[in-house]
Amino acid sequence: MAEDIKAKLEQYRTAPFDARFPNQNQTRNCWSNYLDYHRCHKALDAKGVDTTPCEWYRRVYKSLCPISWVEKWDGQREDGTFPGKI
C-alpha cells in the first residue's frame, strides 16, 4: 500500500477531479483537503505511524488553496483560533 501511495505522489501534477466538488468553485475542496491533511497527520502522529499517506492531502490543498489562505490558517492554528475541527 505504501508503494501505491509513493507512486501516486511521484506522478502527481495537480488536484484530480473529486466528485464531491463538481463545480468550478473549489473553495470547499481546498478547505476540506486542508483539514484532512492536518487530521491525518495528527492521527498518524498519535499512533507513531509514518505520515507519508497524508502527503496526498497536502499536495492537493497546496495546488488548490491560495497561499494567503494557507498562511492565515497556519497562523490561526498556532494561535489556537482556527475555526476548523482538527
Side-chain angles (χ1 to χ4, degrees):
M1 182 172 143
E3 295 81 27
D4 292 340
I5 293 170
K6 287 180 183 178
K8 284 183 180 181
L9 286 173
E10 288 173 7
Q11 297 176 2
Y12 180 85
R13 298 288 178 248
T14 188
F17 175 74
D18 190 338
R20 298 174 299 165
F21 311 102
N23 301 320
Q24 284 183 325
N25 186 345
Q26 293 294 302
T27 303
R28 189 174 299 265
N29 193 356
C30 158
W31 173 256
S32 178
N33 279 287
Y34 183 84
L35 290 177
D36 288 346
Y37 169 72
H38 289 288
R39 288 175 183 155
C40 175
H41 205 272
K42 181 180 177 181
L44 294 183
D45 263 352
K47 293 180 182 177
V49 180
D50 181 30
T51 59
T52 303
C54 303
E55 288 302 305
W56 175 258
Y57 298 115
R58 187 185 68 80
R59 286 186 175 204
V60 172
Y61 88 71
K62 288 278 190 182
S63 70
L64 291 174
C65 302
I67 295 170
S68 61
W69 292 5
V70 174
E71 290 172 350
K72 178 183 174 185
W73 294 338
D74 287 342
Q76 288 175 335
R77 282 188 321 103
E78 290 172 8
D79 296 340
T81 60
F82 184 68
K85 187 174 182 181
I86 294 178

